């Protein structure tokens, strides 16, 4: 395991949920709880449709622990062996660790796919193409009689094999010169970073 994965620890509420699961002696009940709980991470089981297997609040604590374990493990890209190691550190029975890891291994691709849809990342643009047009017609001239430039920025679309529009905008001559100056600033800054200065 890498340093990042070695330092991974579960919270006390997750450990309490695991201990509640470990206290159940019926292996069939344990298996049902594990399957039902872990499948909630991918919403393959409707949360309210299946009745609780255990009476009281311990099932909710177990479900919270198992869902948390699966999500954190998927987020940190743990293998089932790495997850089993972490679970064994909490002195959980081997049969329970094996059952959790089996379910995790089955669902981890779907959990990771779901995790990748959360949050916000800046768009990544590679191999951008641009096009600038300026017609000397009345619709390409602003109210002051100044020419307007239409600029289109496109990127390669891997799904269709064509190009997709990133942005379209219109600017006058002064704004176009300002844009060019800013792009030159960016180029100089990238050169500095690339040269380590």
């Amino acid at each position: 395991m890498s340093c990042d994965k070695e330092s991974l620890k579960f919270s006390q509420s997750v450990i309490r949920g695991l201990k509640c699961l470990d206290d159940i002696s019926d292996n069939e009940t344990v298996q049902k709880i594990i399957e039902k709980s872990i499948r909630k991470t991918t919403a393959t089981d409707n949360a309210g449709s299946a009745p609780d297997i255990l009476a009281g609040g311990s099932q909710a604590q177990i479900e919270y622990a198992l869902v948390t374990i699966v999500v954190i493990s998927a987020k940190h890209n743990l293998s089932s062996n790495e997850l089993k190691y972490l679970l064994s550190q909490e002195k959980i029975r081997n049969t329970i660790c094996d059952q959790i890891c089996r379910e995790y291994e089955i669902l981890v691709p779907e959990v990771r796919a779901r995790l990748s849809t959360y949050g916000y990342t800046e768009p990544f643009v590679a191999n951008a193409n641009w096009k600038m047009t300026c017609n000397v017609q009345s619709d390409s001239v602003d109210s002051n009689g100044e020419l307007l430039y239409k600029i289109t920025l496109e990127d390669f679309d891997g799904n269709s094999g064509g190009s997709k529009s990133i942005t379209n905008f219109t600017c006058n001559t002064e704004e176009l010169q300002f844009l060019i100056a800013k792009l030159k600033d960016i180029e100089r800054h990238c050169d500095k970073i690339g040269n380590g200065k």
Side-chain angles (χ1 to χ4, degrees):
M1 280 194 255
S2 71
C3 293
D4 181 63
K5 293 176 183 178
E6 284 178 4
S7 64
L8 188 62
K9 300 278 185 224
F10 296 123
S11 70
Q12 288 303 309
S13 57
V14 169
I15 293 169
R16 279 193 299 274
L18 286 172
K19 297 293 183 190
C20 287
L21 184 64
D22 199 40
D23 290 341
I24 301 170
S25 58
D26 181 19
N27 283 338
E28 189 176 324
T29 302
V30 168
Q31 181 62 34
K32 285 180 185 176
I33 291 171
I34 290 171
E35 287 175 7
K36 179 180 183 247
S37 300
I38 291 179
R39 291 185 189 280
K40 282 187 175 185
T41 55
T42 59
T44 56
D45 183 19
N46 293 333
S49 65
D52 283 347
I53 298 167
L54 298 176
S58 61
Q59 183 164 339
Q61 191 170 17
I62 292 169
E63 285 178 356
Y64 169 78
L66 292 172
V67 167
T68 302
I69 287 168
V70 169
V71 170
I72 288 174
S73 299
K75 181 180 175 188
H76 288 277
N77 208 20
L78 296 182
S79 68
S80 56
N81 288 336
E82 290 169 325
L83 174 58
K84 186 173 181 176
Y85 172 77
L86 286 175
L87 293 171
S88 68
Q89 298 294 21
E90 303 304 331
K91 311 278 190 279
I92 305 300
R93 283 185 304 211
N94 277 338
T95 55
I96 292 176
C97 292
D98 290 340
Q99 290 171 337
I100 292 171
C101 291
R102 250 192 321 276
E103 286 297 316
Y104 171 75
E105 202 166 312
I106 292 168
L107 293 177
V108 75
E110 190 174 345
V111 173
R112 285 184 184 140
R114 208 167 267 255
L115 284 173
S116 71
T117 64
Y118 298 123
Y120 174 77
T121 57
E122 293 290 329
F124 180 76
V125 179
N127 245 352
N129 297 317
W130 64 276
K131 179 172 59 173
M132 184 174 71
T133 58
C134 178
N135 293 332
V136 194
Q137 298 172 357
S138 60
D139 66 339
S140 293
V141 178
D142 70 5
S143 59
N144 297 329
E146 193 173 0
L147 288 176
L148 295 177
Y149 299 90
K150 293 181 182 177
I151 299 176
T152 304
L153 188 61
E154 297 176 338
D155 192 17
F156 177 74
D157 185 1
N159 295 331
S160 69
S163 61
K164 63 180 177 182
S165 177
I166 298 169
T167 187
N168 296 306
F169 60 92
T170 304
C171 60
N172 61 28
T173 305
E174 183 181 340
E175 292 166 334
L176 181 60
Q177 289 172 344
F178 183 73
L179 173 65
I180 292 168
K182 286 294 181 187
L183 290 172
K184 286 181 180 180
D185 286 346
I186 292 170
E187 182 183 24
R188 280 191 292 275
H189 181 71
C190 290
D191 286 344
K192 276 185 181 179
I193 291 172
N195 294 331
K197 295 179 181 176

